[in-house]
Amino acid sequence: MKDIINAIVSIVIVCVLLFVANDYLDKSSGKAGSDTVTIYNWGEYIDPDLIKQFEEESGYRVIYETFDSNEAMMTKIEQGGTSYDIAIPSEYAIEKMKKNHLLLPIDHSKIPNLKNIDPYFLNLSFDPKNEFSLPYFWGTVGIVYNPSLLDGQTFESWETLWDPSLKGQVLLVDGAREVIGMGLNSLGYSLNSTDDKELQEASAKLKKLTPNVKAIIGDEVTQLMVNGEAPVALTWSGQAADMMSENEALDYAVPEEGSNLWFDNMVIPKTAANIEGAHAFINFMLNAEVAAQNADYVGYSTPNKAAMGLMDEEVTSNERFYPTEEMRDNLEVYNDLGPKMLGKYNELFLKFKMGTN
């Protein structure tokens, strides 16, 4: 009898341990329930203090994971292995995710802080009526440069990057849309061009830029520019703002031929296990004080009009990072080009990268 009781106790203990272990693994892999919000975001794209604040105010526990490209994010959500409640993709990715039925609609009645968003950033072409996404940050693609290391170049035009005096000195971000788009814009073409002749012209022009290219890199560009190890780089506006906060010698410009105007929005993926928590997080991030603190920390431009009233006017009046509506008219949003054309862009970019090695 004693042996039977011991056996039963042992079985109960093993079952309890298995339950606890399974619960831990589910939570650590994003398979969480109503007490957890699992967020999938770009790296260094939120003030960590705000995650703690949201946990304290809402009672939810946050699981936070990062991605380094829209494509990687979409692939993981499509595979469905992790129950992400919130993701923060760019506009063309949102357009594609909608087509592929990867998003859940957002209930605006649960987002009272939506009133804080500047109407300019609502009802845009990639998500009319903001049925599936709400604004997080926005910005431009341009050129950050160090005048003290240059021979008078000011980069009002993309053409300046081809100046022979910049041999081996230009840094480029590792992005096909950004680099091919730059090549297209420098010729006066749309950065969403699907015309093979225009794309080949852009590719040929980029080939001529090869002698000037120092490196094609990711986040490392920040320290290289801050440390004065390179005089000029193609980058995003927020990344340029980070650099400029650490090195006052740096400046930023968006060339007059045009460039990219991008938007990153919050969405609820179809994988969401906590839809109520997702709405609570979106509403929290749209709070004016929260959005202002986040913008100060991250360095990108906020679409939150109420938040701008709480920020340093020297920042919000800086047209390099908060361009006027008239200035934005010369900029383009990336369109979802479809897999075939995106493959063409990637092919041309890879060919260019191989030529710079």
Side-chain angles (χ1 to χ4, degrees), residues 111-136:
I111 316 291
N113 285 329
L114 179 57
K115 68 180 185 294
N116 293 331
I117 298 297
D118 186 332
Y120 177 91
F121 300 102
L122 297 173
N123 198 32
L124 298 176
S125 60
F126 59 89
D127 186 22
K129 300 181 181 179
N130 292 93
E131 185 179 0
F132 295 96
S133 71
L134 289 174
Y136 185 68

PDB file of all heavy atoms in Angstrom, residues 111-136:
ATOM      1  N   ILE A 111      -9.574  52.721 -28.556  1.00  0.00           N
ATOM      2  CA  ILE A 111      -8.363  53.550 -28.659  1.00  0.00           C
ATOM      3  C   ILE A 111      -8.747  55.019 -28.519  1.00  0.00           C
ATOM      4  O   ILE A 111      -8.680  55.791 -29.491  1.00  0.00           O
ATOM      5  CB  ILE A 111      -7.628  53.308 -30.008  1.00  0.00           C
ATOM      6  CG1 ILE A 111      -7.548  51.828 -30.348  1.00  0.00           C
ATOM      7  CG2 ILE A 111      -6.233  53.938 -29.964  1.00  0.00           C
ATOM      8  CD1 ILE A 111      -6.631  51.030 -29.451  1.00  0.00           C
ATOM      9  N   PRO A 112      -9.169  55.472 -27.335  1.00  0.00           N
ATOM     10  CA  PRO A 112      -9.565  56.880 -27.181  1.00  0.00           C
ATOM     11  C   PRO A 112      -8.428  57.858 -27.476  1.00  0.00           C
ATOM     12  O   PRO A 112      -8.682  58.997 -27.871  1.00  0.00           O
ATOM     13  CB  PRO A 112     -10.016  56.959 -25.717  1.00  0.00           C
ATOM     14  CG  PRO A 112      -9.418  55.758 -25.039  1.00  0.00           C
ATOM     15  CD  PRO A 112      -9.356  54.701 -26.089  1.00  0.00           C
ATOM     16  N   ASN A 113      -7.175  57.435 -27.300  1.00  0.00           N
ATOM     17  CA  ASN A 113      -6.046  58.337 -27.552  1.00  0.00           C
ATOM     18  C   ASN A 113      -5.770  58.536 -29.035  1.00  0.00           C
ATOM     19  O   ASN A 113      -4.863  59.300 -29.403  1.00  0.00           O
ATOM     20  CB  ASN A 113      -4.790  57.816 -26.853  1.00  0.00           C
ATOM     21  CG  ASN A 113      -4.832  58.045 -25.358  1.00  0.00           C
ATOM     22  OD1 ASN A 113      -5.419  59.018 -24.882  1.00  0.00           O
ATOM     23  ND2 ASN A 113      -4.224  57.143 -24.592  1.00  0.00           N
ATOM     24  N   LEU A 114      -6.563  57.893 -29.885  1.00  0.00           N
ATOM     25  CA  LEU A 114      -6.430  58.108 -31.325  1.00  0.00           C
ATOM     26  C   LEU A 114      -6.643  59.578 -31.672  1.00  0.00           C
ATOM     27  O   LEU A 114      -6.109  60.082 -32.664  1.00  0.00           O
ATOM     28  CB  LEU A 114      -7.441  57.224 -32.070  1.00  0.00           C
ATOM     29  CG  LEU A 114      -7.475  57.316 -33.589  1.00  0.00           C
ATOM     30  CD1 LEU A 114      -6.112  57.009 -34.204  1.00  0.00           C
ATOM     31  CD2 LEU A 114      -8.530  56.357 -34.146  1.00  0.00           C
ATOM     32  N   LYS A 115      -7.387  60.277 -30.836  1.00  0.00           N
ATOM     33  CA  LYS A 115      -7.649  61.712 -31.051  1.00  0.00           C
ATOM     34  C   LYS A 115      -6.369  62.540 -31.047  1.00  0.00           C
ATOM     35  O   LYS A 115      -6.348  63.673 -31.553  1.00  0.00           O
ATOM     36  CB  LYS A 115      -8.605  62.237 -29.979  1.00  0.00           C
ATOM     37  CG  LYS A 115      -8.014  62.274 -28.577  1.00  0.00           C
ATOM     38  CD  LYS A 115      -9.012  62.804 -27.558  1.00  0.00           C
ATOM     39  CE  LYS A 115      -8.391  62.954 -26.170  1.00  0.00           C
ATOM     40  NZ  LYS A 115      -8.014  61.657 -25.577  1.00  0.00           N
ATOM     41  N   ASN A 116      -5.276  61.988 -30.497  1.00  0.00           N
ATOM     42  CA  ASN A 116      -4.018  62.741 -30.400  1.00  0.00           C
ATOM     43  C   ASN A 116      -3.222  62.755 -31.702  1.00  0.00           C
ATOM     44  O   ASN A 116      -2.286  63.545 -31.837  1.00  0.00           O
ATOM     45  CB  ASN A 116      -3.140  62.143 -29.293  1.00  0.00           C
ATOM     46  CG  ASN A 116      -3.738  62.331 -27.918  1.00  0.00           C
ATOM     47  OD1 ASN A 116      -4.464  63.306 -27.669  1.00  0.00           O
ATOM     48  ND2 ASN A 116      -3.436  61.420 -27.002  1.00  0.00           N
ATOM     49  N   ILE A 117      -3.578  61.882 -32.647  1.00  0.00           N
ATOM     50  CA  ILE A 117      -2.794  61.761 -33.873  1.00  0.00           C
ATOM     51  C   ILE A 117      -3.134  62.869 -34.868  1.00  0.00           C
ATOM     52  O   ILE A 117      -4.305  63.189 -35.096  1.00  0.00           O
ATOM     53  CB  ILE A 117      -3.036  60.385 -34.534  1.00  0.00           C
ATOM     54  CG1 ILE A 117      -2.576  59.267 -33.605  1.00  0.00           C
ATOM     55  CG2 ILE A 117      -2.312  60.271 -35.870  1.00  0.00           C
ATOM     56  CD1 ILE A 117      -1.101  59.271 -33.293  1.00  0.00           C
ATOM     57  N   ASP A 118      -2.090  63.440 -35.465  1.00  0.00           N
ATOM     58  CA  ASP A 118      -2.268  64.449 -36.513  1.00  0.00           C
ATOM     59  C   ASP A 118      -3.018  63.801 -37.680  1.00  0.00           C
ATOM     60  O   ASP A 118      -2.593  62.761 -38.186  1.00  0.00           O
ATOM     61  CB  ASP A 118      -0.881  64.925 -36.980  1.00  0.00           C
ATOM     62  CG  ASP A 118      -0.941  66.072 -37.973  1.00  0.00           C
ATOM     63  OD1 ASP A 118      -1.932  66.182 -38.702  1.00  0.00           O
ATOM     64  OD2 ASP A 118       0.032  66.846 -38.041  1.00  0.00           O
ATOM     65  N   PRO A 119      -4.132  64.393 -38.126  1.00  0.00           N
ATOM     66  CA  PRO A 119      -4.921  63.809 -39.222  1.00  0.00           C
ATOM     67  C   PRO A 119      -4.114  63.537 -40.487  1.00  0.00           C
ATOM     68  O   PRO A 119      -4.479  62.661 -41.286  1.00  0.00           O
ATOM     69  CB  PRO A 119      -6.005  64.869 -39.486  1.00  0.00           C
ATOM     70  CG  PRO A 119      -6.152  65.572 -38.169  1.00  0.00           C
ATOM     71  CD  PRO A 119      -4.767  65.603 -37.583  1.00  0.00           C
ATOM     72  N   TYR A 120      -3.006  64.268 -40.691  1.00  0.00           N
ATOM     73  CA  TYR A 120      -2.163  64.039 -41.877  1.00  0.00           C
ATOM     74  C   TYR A 120      -1.688  62.595 -41.937  1.00  0.00           C
ATOM     75  O   TYR A 120      -1.494  62.042 -43.024  1.00  0.00           O
ATOM     76  CB  TYR A 120      -0.960  64.990 -41.844  1.00  0.00           C
ATOM     77  CG  TYR A 120       0.011  64.767 -42.988  1.00  0.00           C
ATOM     78  CD1 TYR A 120      -0.127  65.471 -44.182  1.00  0.00           C
ATOM     79  CD2 TYR A 120       1.065  63.858 -42.893  1.00  0.00           C
ATOM     80  CE1 TYR A 120       0.755  65.269 -45.245  1.00  0.00           C
ATOM     81  CE2 TYR A 120       1.946  63.645 -43.943  1.00  0.00           C
ATOM     82  CZ  TYR A 120       1.781  64.353 -45.114  1.00  0.00           C
ATOM     83  OH  TYR A 120       2.652  64.140 -46.160  1.00  0.00           O
ATOM     84  N   PHE A 121      -1.484  61.967 -40.775  1.00  0.00           N
ATOM     85  CA  PHE A 121      -0.910  60.625 -40.725  1.00  0.00           C
ATOM     86  C   PHE A 121      -1.964  59.525 -40.640  1.00  0.00           C
ATOM     87  O   PHE A 121      -1.630  58.368 -40.400  1.00  0.00           O
ATOM     88  CB  PHE A 121       0.054  60.530 -39.538  1.00  0.00           C
ATOM     89  CG  PHE A 121       1.182  61.514 -39.630  1.00  0.00           C
ATOM     90  CD1 PHE A 121       1.176  62.677 -38.877  1.00  0.00           C
ATOM     91  CD2 PHE A 121       2.241  61.290 -40.500  1.00  0.00           C
ATOM     92  CE1 PHE A 121       2.203  63.594 -38.980  1.00  0.00           C
ATOM     93  CE2 PHE A 121       3.270  62.207 -40.617  1.00  0.00           C
ATOM     94  CZ  PHE A 121       3.264  63.360 -39.850  1.00  0.00           C
ATOM     95  N   LEU A 122      -3.214  59.902 -40.853  1.00  0.00           N
ATOM     96  CA  LEU A 122      -4.301  58.927 -40.847  1.00  0.00           C
ATOM     97  C   LEU A 122      -4.872  58.764 -42.250  1.00  0.00           C
ATOM     98  O   LEU A 122      -4.706  59.638 -43.107  1.00  0.00           O
ATOM     99  CB  LEU A 122      -5.410  59.384 -39.881  1.00  0.00           C
ATOM    100  CG  LEU A 122      -5.023  59.488 -38.405  1.00  0.00           C
ATOM    101  CD1 LEU A 122      -6.156  60.122 -37.608  1.00  0.00           C
ATOM    102  CD2 LEU A 122      -4.657  58.121 -37.834  1.00  0.00           C
ATOM    103  N   ASN A 123      -5.530  57.629 -42.476  1.00  0.00           N
ATOM    104  CA  ASN A 123      -6.215  57.388 -43.744  1.00  0.00           C
ATOM    105  C   ASN A 123      -5.270  57.464 -44.942  1.00  0.00           C
ATOM    106  O   ASN A 123      -5.610  58.002 -45.991  1.00  0.00           O
ATOM    107  CB  ASN A 123      -7.376  58.381 -43.921  1.00  0.00           C
ATOM    108  CG  ASN A 123      -8.366  57.930 -44.962  1.00  0.00           C
ATOM    109  OD1 ASN A 123      -8.598  56.743 -45.152  1.00  0.00           O
ATOM    110  ND2 ASN A 123      -8.954  58.887 -45.660  1.00  0.00           N
ATOM    111  N   LEU A 124      -4.073  56.913 -44.776  1.00  0.00           N
ATOM    112  CA  LEU A 124      -3.094  56.909 -45.868  1.00  0.00           C
ATOM    113  C   LEU A 124      -3.347  55.731 -46.808  1.00  0.00           C
ATOM    114  O   LEU A 124      -4.072  54.786 -46.485  1.00  0.00           O
ATOM    115  CB  LEU A 124      -1.683  56.871 -45.298  1.00  0.00           C
ATOM    116  CG  LEU A 124      -1.321  58.089 -44.425  1.00  0.00           C
ATOM    117  CD1 LEU A 124       0.065  57.943 -43.813  1.00  0.00           C
ATOM    118  CD2 LEU A 124      -1.396  59.384 -45.244  1.00  0.00           C
ATOM    119  N   SER A 125      -2.723  55.778 -47.979  1.00  0.00           N
ATOM    120  CA  SER A 125      -3.039  54.845 -49.063  1.00  0.00           C
ATOM    121  C   SER A 125      -2.810  53.379 -48.701  1.00  0.00           C
ATOM    122  O   SER A 125      -3.524  52.500 -49.181  1.00  0.00           O
ATOM    123  CB  SER A 125      -2.205  55.190 -50.298  1.00  0.00           C
ATOM    124  OG  SER A 125      -0.815  55.105 -50.002  1.00  0.00           O
ATOM    125  N   PHE A 126      -1.817  53.092 -47.844  1.00  0.00           N
ATOM    126  CA  PHE A 126      -1.516  51.699 -47.538  1.00  0.00           C
ATOM    127  C   PHE A 126      -2.521  51.085 -46.547  1.00  0.00           C
ATOM    128  O   PHE A 126      -2.582  49.869 -46.407  1.00  0.00           O
ATOM    129  CB  PHE A 126      -0.085  51.548 -46.997  1.00  0.00           C
ATOM    130  CG  PHE A 126       0.187  52.340 -45.746  1.00  0.00           C
ATOM    131  CD1 PHE A 126      -0.045  51.800 -44.492  1.00  0.00           C
ATOM    132  CD2 PHE A 126       0.693  53.634 -45.822  1.00  0.00           C
ATOM    133  CE1 PHE A 126       0.207  52.527 -43.333  1.00  0.00           C
ATOM    134  CE2 PHE A 126       0.950  54.372 -44.671  1.00  0.00           C
ATOM    135  CZ  PHE A 126       0.702  53.810 -43.423  1.00  0.00           C
ATOM    136  N   ASP A 127      -3.309  51.929 -45.873  1.00  0.00           N
ATOM    137  CA  ASP A 127      -4.334  51.427 -44.950  1.00  0.00           C
ATOM    138  C   ASP A 127      -5.446  52.462 -44.784  1.00  0.00           C
ATOM    139  O   ASP A 127      -5.562  53.104 -43.740  1.00  0.00           O
ATOM    140  CB  ASP A 127      -3.717  51.071 -43.591  1.00  0.00           C
ATOM    141  CG  ASP A 127      -4.710  50.409 -42.645  1.00  0.00           C
ATOM    142  OD1 ASP A 127      -5.713  49.853 -43.145  1.00  0.00           O
ATOM    143  OD2 ASP A 127      -4.489  50.445 -41.421  1.00  0.00           O
ATOM    144  N   PRO A 128      -6.298  52.619 -45.813  1.00  0.00           N
ATOM    145  CA  PRO A 128      -7.400  53.593 -45.723  1.00  0.00           C
ATOM    146  C   PRO A 128      -8.272  53.323 -44.501  1.00  0.00           C
ATOM    147  O   PRO A 128      -8.546  52.171 -44.158  1.00  0.00           O
ATOM    148  CB  PRO A 128      -8.179  53.331 -47.023  1.00  0.00           C
ATOM    149  CG  PRO A 128      -7.183  52.726 -47.956  1.00  0.00           C
ATOM    150  CD  PRO A 128      -6.268  51.910 -47.097  1.00  0.00           C
ATOM    151  N   LYS A 129      -8.654  54.406 -43.835  1.00  0.00           N
ATOM    152  CA  LYS A 129      -9.484  54.360 -42.619  1.00  0.00           C
ATOM    153  C   LYS A 129      -8.764  53.722 -41.426  1.00  0.00           C
ATOM    154  O   LYS A 129      -9.366  53.529 -40.371  1.00  0.00           O
ATOM    155  CB  LYS A 129     -10.804  53.623 -42.890  1.00  0.00           C
ATOM    156  CG  LYS A 129     -11.663  54.270 -43.963  1.00  0.00           C
ATOM    157  CD  LYS A 129     -12.955  53.520 -44.155  1.00  0.00           C
ATOM    158  CE  LYS A 129     -13.793  54.172 -45.251  1.00  0.00           C
ATOM    159  NZ  LYS A 129     -15.063  53.437 -45.492  1.00  0.00           N
ATOM    160  N   ASN A 130      -7.473  53.405 -41.601  1.00  0.00           N
ATOM    161  CA  ASN A 130      -6.681  52.803 -40.510  1.00  0.00           C
ATOM    162  C   ASN A 130      -7.404  51.616 -39.883  1.00  0.00           C
ATOM    163  O   ASN A 130      -7.455  51.446 -38.675  1.00  0.00           O
ATOM    164  CB  ASN A 130      -6.353  53.846 -39.447  1.00  0.00           C
ATOM    165  CG  ASN A 130      -5.397  54.894 -39.963  1.00  0.00           C
ATOM    166  OD1 ASN A 130      -5.825  55.938 -40.454  1.00  0.00           O
ATOM    167  ND2 ASN A 130      -4.117  54.609 -39.884  1.00  0.00           N
ATOM    168  N   GLU A 131      -7.934  50.790 -40.738  1.00  0.00           N
ATOM    169  CA  GLU A 131      -8.663  49.610 -40.276  1.00  0.00           C
ATOM    170  C   GLU A 131      -7.751  48.608 -39.581  1.00  0.00           C
ATOM    171  O   GLU A 131      -8.149  47.934 -38.635  1.00  0.00           O
ATOM    172  CB  GLU A 131      -9.360  48.937 -41.458  1.00  0.00           C
ATOM    173  CG  GLU A 131     -10.244  47.769 -41.060  1.00  0.00           C
ATOM    174  CD  GLU A 131     -10.948  47.131 -42.242  1.00  0.00           C
ATOM    175  OE1 GLU A 131     -10.746  47.604 -43.387  1.00  0.00           O
ATOM    176  OE2 GLU A 131     -11.693  46.159 -42.022  1.00  0.00           O
ATOM    177  N   PHE A 132      -6.469  48.550 -40.038  1.00  0.00           N
ATOM    178  CA  PHE A 132      -5.559  47.524 -39.521  1.00  0.00           C
ATOM    179  C   PHE A 132      -4.304  48.081 -38.852  1.00  0.00           C
ATOM    180  O   PHE A 132      -3.496  47.309 -38.348  1.00  0.00           O
ATOM    181  CB  PHE A 132      -5.127  46.584 -40.661  1.00  0.00           C
ATOM    182  CG  PHE A 132      -6.250  45.774 -41.232  1.00  0.00           C
ATOM    183  CD1 PHE A 132      -6.910  46.199 -42.382  1.00  0.00           C
ATOM    184  CD2 PHE A 132      -6.665  44.603 -40.623  1.00  0.00           C
ATOM    185  CE1 PHE A 132      -7.955  45.452 -42.922  1.00  0.00           C
ATOM    186  CE2 PHE A 132      -7.703  43.846 -41.153  1.00  0.00           C
ATOM    187  CZ  PHE A 132      -8.355  44.278 -42.301  1.00  0.00           C
ATOM    188  N   SER A 133      -4.115  49.387 -38.856  1.00  0.00           N
ATOM    189  CA  SER A 133      -2.883  49.930 -38.289  1.00  0.00           C
ATOM    190  C   SER A 133      -3.081  51.345 -37.773  1.00  0.00           C
ATOM    191  O   SER A 133      -3.943  52.081 -38.266  1.00  0.00           O
ATOM    192  CB  SER A 133      -1.764  49.927 -39.347  1.00  0.00           C
ATOM    193  OG  SER A 133      -2.005  50.916 -40.344  1.00  0.00           O
ATOM    194  N   LEU A 134      -2.251  51.716 -36.775  1.00  0.00           N
ATOM    195  CA  LEU A 134      -2.262  53.078 -36.247  1.00  0.00           C
ATOM    196  C   LEU A 134      -0.826  53.576 -36.110  1.00  0.00           C
ATOM    197  O   LEU A 134       0.085  52.798 -35.806  1.00  0.00           O
ATOM    198  CB  LEU A 134      -2.989  53.125 -34.895  1.00  0.00           C
ATOM    199  CG  LEU A 134      -4.508  52.936 -34.975  1.00  0.00           C
ATOM    200  CD1 LEU A 134      -5.121  52.846 -33.590  1.00  0.00           C
ATOM    201  CD2 LEU A 134      -5.166  54.062 -35.778  1.00  0.00           C
ATOM    202  N   PRO A 135      -0.606  54.889 -36.344  1.00  0.00           N
ATOM    203  CA  PRO A 135       0.748  55.436 -36.452  1.00  0.00           C
ATOM    204  C   PRO A 135       1.613  55.283 -35.198  1.00  0.00           C
ATOM    205  O   PRO A 135       1.127  55.416 -34.071  1.00  0.00           O
ATOM    206  CB  PRO A 135       0.498  56.920 -36.748  1.00  0.00           C
ATOM    207  CG  PRO A 135      -0.864  56.955 -37.370  1.00  0.00           C
ATOM    208  CD  PRO A 135      -1.641  55.891 -36.641  1.00  0.00           C
ATOM    209  N   TYR A 136       2.897  55.045 -35.438  1.00  0.00           N
ATOM    210  CA  TYR A 136       3.894  54.914 -34.368  1.00  0.00           C
ATOM    211  C   TYR A 136       5.000  55.958 -34.563  1.00  0.00           C
ATOM    212  O   TYR A 136       5.158  56.860 -33.754  1.00  0.00           O
ATOM    213  CB  TYR A 136       4.468  53.497 -34.376  1.00  0.00           C
ATOM    214  CG  TYR A 136       5.422  53.191 -33.229  1.00  0.00           C
ATOM    215  CD1 TYR A 136       4.951  53.116 -31.917  1.00  0.00           C
ATOM    216  CD2 TYR A 136       6.770  52.968 -33.455  1.00  0.00           C
ATOM    217  CE1 TYR A 136       5.810  52.824 -30.859  1.00  0.00           C
ATOM    218  CE2 TYR A 136       7.641  52.667 -32.407  1.00  0.00           C
ATOM    219  CZ  TYR A 136       7.161  52.598 -31.116  1.00  0.00           C
ATOM    220  OH  TYR A 136       8.012  52.319 -30.066  1.00  0.00           O
TER     221      TYR A 136
END
